[in-house]
Amino acid sequence: MTPIDPRAAALADLREWTEHQATARQRLIAAAWRAGVHNVAELARAAGVRRDTVYADLRRENIDPTERSTMPTTTLPSRRAQVRDRLIPILAELPLRGPREESPDPAAVLRQAGRVTILKLLYGLEEVAEVYTSWLDTSLAEQDATATGLATWSEAGMPTAPLPRWTRDRHGFLCVGCGENFWTLVSRGDVSSRWCKTCARDLAELRSEQVWIPRRSPLHHDIAFPGVLPDERYDNLLPVNWNGSIDITEYVMGEADAFLAGYGWMGLATSDEPSPLTGDLEAPTLKAAGQTTKPGHRFAWTASFAYDRGPNGWRKTPYGFRLVTGTLTSDHGVSTFDDAFTMLDTIAAGNNAQ
Ligand SMILES: [Zn+2]
């Protein structure tokens, strides 16, 4: 068991912030430009910088500010945006759950958990945890406004820790005191102080009325994830030899990962080796086909993906392969999709729902 080294974790956080911070303005200016804001004066005002700084930022992001005639570039949604657009409505499907409250409908919780699994398959544990924790920050702040403290410490459950224990906690799922147990208690009026019972009572010597137990998503522990360090590999890659070349070009799998990586979800498999990539080396097309074998969820599928080099997040990794079109075939007929989440959610819903 490796304990968290608080010094290394703090330095990693600082490095991440620095990398992020150094290019934040230029990336945001470029994003606004790509969204269609081509008025440099307006960009300069919004960013609080001079116009020549805006020009310099745009050029650093490979945008030529003199090419104003181009259509407003519709940028495809980033992974973060995809997860945000999906996860928040999924969380709203069921009421948040307080301590010792049973879930009203176990089948609905399973369905909700299934949707979160699809998000993880398509966009990764890191993105899902990131979006969830920022949503949680808002939720806790709202709950804090009307929260009442504990009457006695016996209301707080015994601490539990992740198994195996985490060597990091980049998204804040663990107690701020020990960094070992999951937090279950929140300080009143200070929702970033999240404690296990032991630390709140014995380490911080809080009184029971100074802490409260939040209502949380039933999926809180499904989403809990220790996180990825800034210099760690984050995406699955597809190595390709183009035309027998010995040089290997690596592509970020993106959404194709959920279809091709063999996670065993719903018995999803490819029927053959995926066909070779076609088209441009910079932006190839990937086609694949296969079947799902889980009883009640049996489909034949085809999927066609286009490569999106669009940089994602502060790591600026390519988005990867993005579904262009897919089909599901069952006894009920053929359905066509242009969205990977909807396609996988249809498989999860099963044959009778089709
Ligand atoms: Zn603790």
Side-chain angles (χ1 to χ4, degrees):
M1 181 191 314
T2 321
I4 296 177
D5 176 354
R7 291 161 21 106
L11 284 175
D13 283 342
L14 180 59
R15 262 198 308 276
E16 175 176 347
W17 179 84
T18 308
E19 285 171 37
H20 187 63
Q21 197 68 8
T23 57
R25 189 195 60 229
Q26 77 185 48
R27 283 184 294 107
L28 291 169
I29 286 178
W33 181 276
R34 292 194 189 100
V37 185
H38 291 180
N39 183 329
V40 171
E42 194 179 355
L43 289 169
R45 257 198 314 280
V49 295
R50 292 150 48 100
R51 292 164 58 114
D52 49 1
T53 306
V54 171
Y55 285 117
D57 281 348
L58 289 171
R59 292 210 172 82
R60 274 193 289 269
E61 293 284 322
N62 301 317
I63 291 172
D64 181 355
T66 59
E67 284 180 22
R68 282 154 195 270
S69 60
T70 49
M71 303 276 288
T73 327
T74 47
T75 38
L76 295 164
S78 65
R79 276 183 231 193
R80 179 70 49 87
Q82 301 259 30
V83 174
R84 204 183 289 127
D85 289 352
R86 300 287 185 190
L87 183 63
I88 308 306
I90 291 170
L91 292 170
E93 287 171 9
L94 288 172
L96 302 182
R97 199 159 56 178
R100 291 179 292 280
E101 282 176 35
E102 286 303 307
S103 158
D105 181 358
V109 176
L110 272 180
R111 185 95 188 91
Q112 195 186 30
R115 293 207 163 106
V116 169
T117 300
I118 293 171
L119 286 182
K120 290 180 187 170
L121 287 170
L122 287 171
Y123 308 114
L125 307 177
E126 177 80 355
E127 292 292 355
V128 174
E130 178 72 36
V131 171
Y132 174 71
T133 47
S134 65
W135 168 86
L136 188 64
D137 289 345
T138 311
S139 174
L140 292 182
E142 285 168 6
Q143 293 183 45
D144 184 59
T146 54
T148 47
L150 301 183
T152 70
W153 283 112
S154 62
E155 290 174 41
M158 290 313 290
T160 57
L163 288 173
R165 283 180 194 270
W166 292 355
T167 55
R168 66 186 67 157
D169 175 34
R170 297 183 60 77
H171 299 289
F173 286 97
L174 301 183
C175 165
V176 294
C178 57
E180 288 202 349
N181 297 321
F182 287 116
W183 58 260
T184 52
L185 304 168
V186 176
S187 284
R188 285 178 71 190
D190 176 16
V191 296
S192 59
S193 294
R194 303 174 195 175
W195 307 93
C196 73
K197 178 183 180 177
T198 308
C199 290
R201 186 185 54 188
D202 303 336
L203 178 80
E205 298 183 348
L206 298 173
R207 297 187 311 279
S208 62
E209 67 267 26
Q210 289 178 290
V211 296
W212 55 285
I213 304 177
R215 277 171 288 119
R216 294 192 301 207
S217 162
L219 302 181
H220 182 84
H221 284 104
D222 287 347
I223 295 171
F225 176 61
V228 179
L229 293 175
D231 49 0
E232 282 178 325
R233 177 100 287 238
Y234 173 68
D235 310 290
N236 277 338
L237 297 178
L238 179 69
V240 175
N241 293 86
W242 279 91
N243 301 324
S245 155
I246 55 160
D247 294 332
I248 290 177
T249 311
E250 288 186 321
Y251 296 95
V252 172
M253 287 289 270
E255 294 172 5
D257 201 41
F259 293 80
L260 301 182
Y263 292 119
W265 177 85
M266 295 287 158
L268 191 151
T270 45
S271 31
D272 314 293
E273 288 293 296
S275 15
L277 300 188
T278 54
D280 181 16
L281 190 136
E282 290 290 304
T285 297
L286 169 65
K287 287 187 193 319
Q291 63 286 324
T292 56
T293 56
K294 185 173 172 181
H297 305 265
R298 290 201 169 103
F299 296 88
W301 62 267
T302 67
S304 173
F305 303 90
Y307 198 66
D308 179 356
R309 308 194 73 79
N312 264 256
W314 59 268
R315 284 183 175 85
K316 290 188 146 192
T317 50
Y319 184 96
F321 289 101
R322 194 189 282 267
L323 184 81
V324 178
T325 179
T327 63
L328 291 178
T329 306
S330 72
D331 296 342
H332 296 273
V334 184
S335 308
T336 306
F337 301 87
D338 60 5
D339 170 79
F341 179 89
T342 312
M343 183 168 167
L344 296 183
D345 197 36
T346 302
I347 296 172
N351 299 113
N352 293 330
Q354 204 188 20

